[in-house]
Amino acid sequence: TSAQRRIWRETLSCYLSGFRRPISPYRGHNAFAGPAYLAFFLIAVAQIALGISLSLMPDSEAMNSPLMVMHEWGFFLLLAFVIVHVALVIAHEVAGRHGLISAMIHGHKGFTESEHQALHADWD
């Protein structure tokens, strides 16, 4: 929707500014969650397929296979995803002040009245 595209642009702007611009309020995950998790799961599926393929090879062949290099890169990509994810959660917690981490426990984010009204306007 146009509201989702606007929030995506505002979120990108916030990230590119180093969180100096305001974070757009959102109910659940932010605008980048879908593409980020899609990439994560595609890499995870590739890791599974590569791991199975490597396990079917003799050890000496597997260790020298290009598949092993791809499997190692997949590991580092998943590790980078986790590190970036945790860093952005912390940055959102500090910059956004919406109680993102505590919302993971009890399910409620804190919004100002204007943010709450903006969220309702986006849903209407």
Side-chain angles (χ1 to χ4, degrees), residues 38-54 67 70-75 77-78:
L38 177 63
F40 177 86
F41 288 120
L42 289 175
I43 295 168
V45 167
Q47 284 291 89
I48 293 167
L50 288 167
I52 290 170
S53 298
L54 289 166
L67 296 180
M70 292 170 59
H71 194 61
E72 289 171 352
W73 274 98
F75 166 77
L77 287 172
L78 291 177

Side-chain angles (χ1 to χ4, degrees), residues 5 9 13 17 32 52 58 69 74 79 82 90 93 98 105 114:
R5 285 188 297 276
R9 284 189 308 272
S13 173
S17 74
F32 290 94
I52 290 170
V69 174
L79 183 62
V82 170
I90 292 168
E93 183 71 17
H98 292 133
I105 297 167
S114 63

Side-chain angles (χ1 to χ4, degrees), residues 34-117:
Y37 283 119
L38 177 63
F40 177 86
F41 288 120
L42 289 175
I43 295 168
V45 167
Q47 284 291 89
I48 293 167
L50 288 167
I52 290 170
S53 298
L54 289 166
S55 72
L56 298 174
M57 294 179 182
D59 286 344
S60 60
E61 187 180 329
M63 293 308 290
N64 297 319
S65 171
L67 296 180
M68 181 61 81
V69 174
M70 292 170 59
H71 194 61
E72 289 171 352
W73 274 98
F75 166 77
F76 290 116
L77 287 172
L78 291 177
L79 183 62
F81 175 88
V82 170
I83 292 168
V84 168
H85 185 79
V86 170
L88 286 174
V89 166
I90 292 168
H92 274 266
E93 183 71 17
V94 171
R97 297 179 183 85
H98 292 133
L100 183 63
I101 294 173
S102 59
M104 293 178 201
I105 297 167
H106 57 64
H108 301 286
K109 284 182 169 181
F111 296 108
T112 65
E113 184 59 35
S114 63
E115 290 171 335
H116 191 68
Q117 289 173 358

Side-chain angles (χ1 to χ4, degrees), residues 10-23 91 95 97:
E10 290 172 359
T11 303
L12 180 62
S13 173
C14 174
Y15 287 170
L16 293 176
S17 74
F19 286 89
R20 287 186 298 275
R21 292 190 180 177
I23 297 172
R97 297 179 183 85

